[in-house]
């Protein structure tokens, strides 16, 4: 069944006023004075607004985004989260979920501390970086205890061998114990489309086949269809409708492996016929990872997630190895004050050095890391330009970037982050974003309010 024709009139494409015809989800014609071909043609009067390719967010966590919408946020001050936790009603074994934990504000939490606050129902608290869960005893009792086994990896224990309730990079254990039906992604899809995003790369490393099927079904249906790239190791030939990207390798900064250990995990990705994407938020984790890639060799598509601290010598090493970096500029604004207070003084100058990485000939692409960062790409463009924390203090010594450079990264293809920016061209899929204003004004203002409508396959 063919789709109705879609005709954009008086839109700006590559700086020029023109019309764009879409037939069966593909850009069919670009030129002046185009007229509808049939009575069922949908005509969109652009009013001079820019028509650009849809943006791709190269690193998100979709299920966590949905879960965050139904969680107690510890970063919201009123009323105090402890009072909200105690007052929250939970019946029939339902879990209470909290997000945004940070030690400098909330103190170090463990099962005993949570039990003193709430012991009658399972409670799980997620660190704001996404890599640590803290469970109370009622929640921990729902997770099988296998001390010393492979299944125990990432499960923290005290000197006596008792589980502390702190689980590092073990979303799989928490999800298996706490989830019934997986959450709807309808609201998250609608929001992403509203900010101009037409595709996402889900960077969750431990999605099982059930979760993958859920993502595929959710993103392929309804009015807010999105393109999907998967980084979970379980993704493969049985993931129709999604692009399968590199295998995400999550490192635990509290317990970093040796370069040889990282190389073994890279080799597992190679065995799946896939590149590797390694999570590196500290200088130490990046050094170890680069040493592993030095020993293993790199393939096209290998990349570093975050590279939060990347001094000059490591930027040169990244360039020489041909590795890409997927960074999160919005964190300069959202976490900047915390970085300034907590990051080692010798690392502060090299925080999220987007411009310096580009200058070192490293391919860099932006992303949100939502829900741990903002999914608004226009905020990321402004943050990369200004490099100011919420309190207005400049973060790091890296130069601010023209928002167009960040937009170009969002326009790079899911399989080529940091590569050539996509364009609105005849024969290309009609994954496009229509703005209320011309592109120059949109980039000057970096406001999501300038997004008028977003289309995937012309719909």
């Amino acid at each position: 069944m063919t789709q109705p024709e879609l005709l954009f009139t008086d839109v700006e494409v590559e700086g020029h006023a023109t019309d764009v015809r879409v037939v069966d989800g593909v850009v069919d014609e670009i030129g002046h004075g185009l007229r509808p071909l049939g009575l069922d043609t949908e005509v969109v009067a652009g009013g001079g607004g820019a028509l650009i390719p849809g943006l791709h967010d190269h690193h998100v966590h979709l299920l966590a985004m949905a879960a965050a919408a139904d969680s107690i946020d510890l970063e919201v001050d009123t009323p105090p989260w402890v009072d909200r936790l105690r007052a929250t009603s939970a019946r029939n074994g339902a879990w209470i979920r909290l997000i945004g934990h940070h030690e400098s504000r909330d103190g170090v939490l463990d099962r005993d501390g949570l039990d003193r606050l709430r012991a009658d129902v399972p409670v799980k608290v997620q660190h704001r970086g996404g890599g640590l869960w803290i469970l109370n005893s009622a929640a921990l009792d729902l997770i099988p205890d296998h001390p010393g086994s492979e299944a125990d990896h990432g499960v923290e224990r005290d000197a006596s061998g008792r589980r502390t309730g702190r689980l590092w990079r073990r979303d799989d254990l928490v999800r298996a114990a706490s989830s019934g039906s997986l959450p709807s992604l309808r609201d998250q899809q609608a929001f992403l489309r509203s900010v101009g995003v037409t595709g996402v790369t889900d960077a969750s490393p431990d999605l099982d086949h059930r979760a993958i099927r859920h993502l595929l079904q959710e993103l392929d249906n309804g009015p807010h269809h999105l393109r999907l790239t998967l980084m979970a190791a379980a993704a493969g030939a049985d993931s129709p409708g999604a692009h399968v990207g590199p295998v995400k390798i999550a490192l635990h900064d509290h317990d970093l492996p040796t370069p040889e250990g990282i190389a073994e995990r890279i080799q597992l990705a190679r065995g799946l016929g896939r590149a590797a994407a390694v999570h590196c938020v500290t200088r130490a984790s990046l050094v170890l990872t680069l040493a592993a890639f030095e020993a293993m060799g790199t393939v096209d598509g290998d990349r570093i997630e975050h590279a939060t601290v990347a001094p000059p010598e490591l930027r040169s090493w990244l360039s020489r190895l041909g590795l890409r970096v997927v960074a999160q500029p919005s964190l300069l604004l959202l976490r900047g004050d915390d970085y300034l207070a907590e990051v080692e003084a010798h690392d502060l100058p090299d925080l999220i050095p987007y411009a310096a990485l580009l200058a070192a000939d490293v391919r860099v692409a932006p992303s949100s890391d939502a829900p741990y960062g903002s999914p608004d790409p226009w905020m990321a463009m402004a943050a990369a330009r200004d490099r100011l924390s919420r309190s207005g203090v400049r973060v790091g010594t890296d130069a601010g970037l023209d928002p167009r450079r960040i937009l170009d990264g969002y326009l790079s293809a899911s399989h080529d982050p940091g590569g050539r920016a996509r364009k609105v061209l005849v024969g290309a899929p009609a994954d496009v974003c229509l703005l209320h204003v011309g592109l120059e004004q949109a980039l000057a203002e970096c406001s999501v309010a300038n997004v008028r409508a977003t289309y995937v396959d012309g719909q």
Side-chain angles (χ1 to χ4, degrees):
M1 182 177 177
T2 60
Q3 296 175 207
E5 176 197 8
L6 176 64
L7 180 62
F8 297 98
T9 62
D10 187 23
V11 291
E12 176 193 290
V13 175
E14 298 296 316
H16 301 286
T18 190
D19 305 327
V20 176
R21 189 192 313 280
V22 173
V23 177
D24 290 338
V26 174
V27 177
D28 182 71
E29 190 176 1
I30 301 175
H32 295 284
L34 300 184
R35 295 291 182 264
L37 297 177
L39 295 177
D40 61 349
T41 298
E42 179 184 355
V43 179
V44 178
L51 187 70
I52 63 174
L55 283 63
H56 188 91
D57 191 329
H58 294 278
H59 183 123
V60 302
H61 302 274
L62 291 166
L63 293 177
M65 287 178 69
D70 191 30
S71 301
I72 297 172
D73 189 347
L74 275 64
E75 298 192 83
V76 175
D77 294 330
T78 54
W81 70 268
V82 170
D83 294 340
R84 282 179 282 154
L85 171 59
R86 287 172 169 158
T88 297
S89 175
R91 298 185 178 89
N92 300 323
W95 289 49
I96 299 176
R97 186 182 194 275
L98 299 90
I99 61 173
H101 165 63
H102 194 236
E103 295 85 350
S104 65
R105 183 191 61 240
D106 309 316
V108 176
L109 291 178
D110 60 13
R111 67 188 293 179
D112 296 323
L114 284 176
D115 286 349
R116 287 191 287 272
L117 298 174
R118 193 73 188 259
D120 60 315
V121 296
V123 175
K124 55 181 178 179
V125 180
Q126 188 176 44
H127 191 273
R128 71 175 188 182
L132 170 66
W133 285 101
I134 307 105
L135 276 57
N136 70 351
S137 294
L140 202 59
D141 288 344
L142 300 175
I143 295 178
D145 191 6
H146 300 295
S149 69
E150 180 63 27
D152 200 50
H153 181 72
V155 178
E156 185 179 279
R157 296 178 181 273
D158 63 20
S160 70
R162 177 175 178 259
R163 292 183 294 179
T164 67
R166 295 163 61 86
L167 278 63
W168 298 87
R169 298 285 173 192
R170 291 309 305 266
D171 286 5
D172 56 332
L173 290 181
V174 178
R175 186 183 301 120
S178 63
S179 63
S181 59
L182 293 169
S184 167
L185 299 175
R186 179 183 56 197
D187 291 344
Q188 288 66 45
Q189 292 171 251
F191 179 84
L192 289 165
R193 288 279 290 258
S194 76
V195 299
V197 170
T198 56
V200 295
T201 294
D202 190 284
S204 305
D206 59 354
L207 298 176
D208 57 21
H209 291 287
R210 172 173 173 258
I212 289 171
R213 286 193 300 271
H214 180 70
L215 292 184
L216 290 168
Q217 182 176 5
E218 288 281 305
L219 268 65
D220 195 42
N221 291 312
H224 304 300
H225 167 56
L226 291 173
R227 306 283 185 192
L228 176 64
T229 296
L230 292 166
M231 295 174 70
D238 60 345
S239 304
H243 173 74
V244 177
V247 173
K248 171 75 174 294
I249 298 174
L251 303 183
H252 306 166
D253 290 300
H254 72 288
D255 184 23
L256 289 170
T258 63
E260 293 75 18
I262 299 172
E264 289 178 4
R265 298 178 69 181
I266 294 172
Q267 185 57 47
L268 291 174
R270 299 282 191 268
L272 296 172
R274 295 164 64 184
V278 187
H279 167 103
C280 297
V281 297
T282 62
R283 182 192 296 251
S285 61
L286 184 54
V287 168
L288 294 170
T289 297
L290 295 182
F293 275 118
E294 187 76 66
M296 285 287 301
T298 57
V299 300
D300 187 36
D302 284 338
R303 58 193 246 191
I304 302 297
E305 306 303 300
H306 311 300
T308 309
V309 180
E313 66 276 12
L314 299 188
R315 298 195 292 264
S316 297
W317 201 356
L318 283 161
S319 178
R320 181 169 59 79
L321 290 173
L323 289 164
R324 307 164 189 261
V325 169
V326 175
Q328 293 77 39
S330 70
L331 296 182
L332 293 163
L333 172 66
L334 300 175
R335 304 277 175 83
D337 290 317
D338 292 334
Y339 290 154
L340 292 166
E342 299 166 10
V343 171
E344 297 285 346
H346 66 279
D347 284 336
L348 277 174
D350 300 305
L351 284 173
I352 314 181
Y354 205 118
L357 285 164
L358 290 174
D361 200 27
V362 177
R363 283 172 288 183
V364 190
S367 67
S368 67
D369 197 21
Y372 315 113
S374 170
D376 176 359
W378 304 91
M379 175 191 286
M381 294 178 216
R385 176 192 63 201
D386 303 333
R387 296 191 63 89
L388 297 178
S389 70
R390 288 190 187 276
S391 65
V393 179
R394 188 171 179 82
V395 182
T397 59
D398 197 54
L401 270 177
D402 184 334
R404 185 178 293 273
R405 299 297 301 274
I406 306 299
L407 176 61
D408 284 348
Y410 277 115
L411 298 185
S412 60
S414 65
H415 64 275
D416 186 24
R420 181 175 298 179
R422 292 170 290 119
K423 296 183 178 183
V424 177
L425 298 171
V426 172
D431 298 356
V432 293
C433 171
L434 177 62
L435 304 178
H436 286 291
V437 298
L439 185 56
E440 288 299 326
Q441 181 177 340
L443 291 173
E445 297 175 354
C446 290
S447 171
V448 69
N450 285 324
V451 177
R452 176 175 164 184
T454 306
Y455 302 79
V456 176
D457 280 335
Q459 297 180 307

